[in-house]
Amino acid sequence: LERIIGDMYVKGLPVAIHAITSEMVETVVGAYEKVKSNIDNKLRYRIEHCSECPPDLLERIKILRPVIVSQPSFVFYSGDRYLSIIEPEIIPWLYRFNSLLTVDLILAAGSDAPVVSSPNPLIAIYSAVTRKTQKQQLFNPIESVLPYQALAMFTTNAAYAASEEDVKGSITPGKLADL
């Protein structure tokens, strides 16, 4: 993984790696840490999902400063299933939107469609703000975000994650009408 990331950086290509479990997030963070220390490169690098992020990993991510791209709709569509099958001690580390924003990371969002049943960003924004599942159970509500933060996850922050903030993400003269 370190070799692949290093090769991408040398070629001037940004890197985005899917990491869901804490073990995979730790693997990705470790690889980024090693490669970043050896390459002077301003390219953005991303962690897709970052679904399970215990405190020790959050601290490392805070220092590393990757862009995190998560999917708030998973809380809505999969939250009831998560609450029934995932160990209770892991639930606090899932989809830590507020914690990621509190340490000043760029947190962008997407739908991950067709994995989830709807690409509708309004459901995901609702989910990020209320932290409610389809059955209206609360899913780690301490990780809820304010409405403007959830909106930014899908607009300005998503454009930043794609390195398109100069042309997308906000209603600004000269930008595309593509939010």
Side-chain angles (χ1 to χ4, degrees), residues 22-92:
S22 61
E23 293 84 4
M24 191 60 204
V25 174
E26 183 170 16
T27 299
V28 171
V29 167
Y32 278 148
E33 287 168 337
K34 288 180 182 173
V35 173
K36 188 176 180 204
S37 67
N38 294 325
I39 295 176
D40 182 24
N41 195 311
K42 302 283 189 234
L43 288 173
R44 292 182 188 148
Y45 47 101
R46 297 174 14 184
I47 300 175
E48 307 295 308
H49 301 291
C50 197
S51 306
E52 186 181 331
C53 186
D56 59 319
L57 277 176
L58 182 61
E59 284 302 310
R60 289 172 64 192
I61 290 169
K62 175 181 162 183
I63 294 165
L64 185 62
R65 310 213 51 75
V67 176
I68 305 296
V69 181
S70 195
Q71 295 67 33
S73 57
F74 283 7
V75 171
F76 183 79
Y77 289 113
S78 299
D80 295 307
R81 182 172 52 87
Y82 294 156
L83 289 169
S84 71
I85 65 170
I86 294 177
E87 297 87 4
E89 62 272 8
I90 293 176
I91 296 291

Side-chain angles (χ1 to χ4, degrees), residues 7-171:
D7 289 349
M8 298 295 281
Y9 281 173
V10 167
K11 292 175 183 173
L13 299 170
V15 178
I17 301 175
H18 284 236
I20 295 172
T21 66
S22 61
E23 293 84 4
M24 191 60 204
V25 174
E26 183 170 16
T27 299
V28 171
V29 167
Y32 278 148
E33 287 168 337
K34 288 180 182 173
V35 173
K36 188 176 180 204
S37 67
N38 294 325
I39 295 176
D40 182 24
N41 195 311
K42 302 283 189 234
L43 288 173
R44 292 182 188 148
Y45 47 101
R46 297 174 14 184
I47 300 175
E48 307 295 308
H49 301 291
C50 197
S51 306
E52 186 181 331
C53 186
D56 59 319
L57 277 176
L58 182 61
E59 284 302 310
R60 289 172 64 192
I61 290 169
K62 175 181 162 183
I63 294 165
L64 185 62
R65 310 213 51 75
V67 176
I68 305 296
V69 181
S70 195
Q71 295 67 33
S73 57
F74 283 7
V75 171
F76 183 79
Y77 289 113
S78 299
D80 295 307
R81 182 172 52 87
Y82 294 156
L83 289 169
S84 71
I85 65 170
I86 294 177
E87 297 87 4
E89 62 272 8
I90 293 176
I91 296 291
W93 318 135
L94 295 178
Y95 301 102
R96 298 186 70 190
F97 308 138
N98 184 52
S99 293
L100 292 164
L101 290 173
T102 298
V103 297
D104 294 323
L105 292 171
I106 301 292
L107 174 61
S111 68
D112 211 36
V115 174
V116 296
S117 57
S118 172
N120 183 347
L122 297 179
I123 293 170
I125 290 169
Y126 167 83
S127 179
V129 172
T130 67
R131 299 292 293 202
K132 289 185 179 178
T133 69
Q134 279 185 304
K135 293 181 181 177
Q136 298 299 297
Q137 294 187 79
L138 284 176
F139 186 90
N140 199 16
I142 196 164
E143 293 297 341
S144 69
V145 298
L146 296 170
Y148 81 89
Q149 293 171 311
L151 182 62
M153 289 165 62
F154 281 90
T155 56
T156 54
N157 294 2
Y160 181 87
S163 296
E164 295 181 329
E165 68 272 18
D166 293 337
V167 295
K168 294 181 182 179
S170 62
I171 301 173

